[in-house]
Amino acid sequence: MRKEKGLTFFVSLVYAFLFIPLFIIVVTSFGENPTIQFPIEGFSFKWYANVFENAAFVDSFLLSLKISFSATMLALLVGVPASYALSRNNFMGRQWLKSFFLSPTIIPGVVVGYSLFQFIVITLQLPVFQGLLLGHFLVSLPYIIRVVGGSLEQLDFSIEEAAWTLGSTKVDAFFKVILPNITSGIFASFMLAFINSFNNIPVSQFLSGPGISTLPTALMSYVEYNYDPTVSALSVMLMLATIVLMYLIEKTLGLSSIT
């Protein structure tokens, strides 16, 4: 009994350390003073309005949406067939290839960002937008392969083989039998990859150029010269958006496990 109480107290303490900083960010976003302070003096929504009035935030937000959506869609087009090939075929080097695809999620973000900088900017010399798109595609792909691959591993491929025996081609069987059974996994992988792409800092930091930056890098640049509650307001908005998307992912994966 004492051990259970001690464990409960420890878990509560950990949660407190995790959520207290987030609570402070939420509170300071409503402060009236032009500098961040806790506790706040007065109550105001002006810092939320300031987010939308800041042209750098608006432009970088739109760029982040465009980059993240495009990169994730490209990752789906490549990742779904790759996941199918890795799950359906048992060839030499299969595990090595799977580990290679997932390596960006294991290697430190700074290392990944610098490596992509050397490859995309120094070697390929791509323009900033194309470089960001390629970089975000490469960091989004592992999440597609991981989640879609998990859905495929739970799938009974005998239904595909049954379609073959009934005269369906392999391509038709893939689109009419396999894809409908992993739709929830594809949707969840898209949202997870999109979140990670949108919130990515190391890759965006290395690949951004003059006047072209994603929202996280614009936020980092703003903090260097400003310390007002606009940062807190934008952080709260990003947290809320992430919570909503993660809830949708959880519901989608929950439905997937039931079906």
Side-chain angles (χ1 to χ4, degrees):
M1 190 68 178
R2 289 182 178 178
K3 289 184 178 180
E4 291 180 358
K5 288 184 177 180
L7 181 61
T8 302
F9 175 76
F10 177 75
V11 171
S12 302
L13 194 62
V14 171
Y15 274 112
F17 276 108
L18 288 174
F19 285 104
I20 286 176
L22 299 180
F23 172 75
I24 292 175
I25 289 176
V26 173
V27 172
T28 56
S29 69
F30 295 102
E32 200 169 45
N33 288 342
T35 56
I36 296 176
Q37 64 178 51
F38 183 83
I40 61 174
E41 294 180 3
F43 186 88
S44 175
F45 287 100
K46 63 182 179 182
W47 307 113
Y48 286 90
N50 196 38
V51 171
F52 295 99
E53 294 170 359
N54 189 306
F57 285 154
V58 174
D59 292 342
S60 60
F61 171 75
L62 294 176
L63 179 65
S64 288
L65 280 181
K66 188 184 299 184
I67 291 290
S68 299
F69 181 81
S70 301
T72 307
M73 288 301 297
L74 288 173
L76 276 179
L77 292 175
V78 175
V80 173
S83 300
Y84 173 78
L86 290 171
S87 302
R88 197 71 175 90
N89 303 291
N90 190 15
F91 53 88
M92 185 179 297
R94 173 172 169 267
Q95 290 299 326
W96 180 89
L97 187 60
K98 185 182 292 187
S99 299
F100 174 76
F101 275 127
L102 298 178
S103 60
T105 63
I106 303 171
I107 301 173
V110 174
V111 177
V112 173
Y114 183 68
S115 301
L116 292 177
F117 171 77
Q118 291 280 3
F119 173 62
I120 294 173
V121 179
I122 304 299
T123 305
L124 298 181
Q125 297 183 355
L126 292 179
V128 176
F129 180 84
Q130 287 85 340
L132 281 168
L133 181 60
L134 178 57
H136 280 255
F137 159 75
L138 293 174
V139 298
S140 298
L141 186 59
Y143 296 98
I144 303 295
I145 291 178
R146 174 174 289 180
V147 179
V148 174
S151 296
L152 286 167
E153 288 176 1
Q154 299 176 10
L155 186 64
D156 185 1
F157 284 106
S158 61
I159 59 175
E160 182 187 38
E161 295 169 358
W164 295 347
T165 60
L166 293 173
S168 179
T169 65
K170 290 188 176 182
V171 175
D172 284 341
F174 176 77
F175 282 100
K176 295 179 180 179
V177 178
I178 299 297
L179 283 185
N181 281 281
I182 60 171
T183 303
S184 57
I186 292 174
F187 179 64
S189 69
F190 174 85
M191 290 191 293
L192 186 61
F194 178 84
I195 290 172
N196 281 276
S197 173
F198 191 91
N199 293 330
N200 182 279
I201 293 179
V203 171
S204 299
Q205 197 84 352
F206 277 105
L207 300 181
S208 294
I212 302 178
S213 62
T214 60
L215 185 59
T217 55
L219 179 60
M220 295 292 292
S221 299
Y222 186 87
V223 172
E224 290 182 15
Y225 304 101
N226 304 273
Y227 195 65
D228 59 52
T230 303
V231 178
S232 297
L234 180 56
S235 299
V236 171
M237 294 166 68
L238 291 175
M239 282 192 294
L240 289 175
T242 302
I243 289 171
V244 171
L245 288 175
M246 291 303 295
Y247 173 77
L248 291 174
I249 291 174
E250 184 179 351
K251 296 293 290 185
T252 303
L253 291 177
L255 289 174
S256 175
S257 63
I258 292 174
T259 55

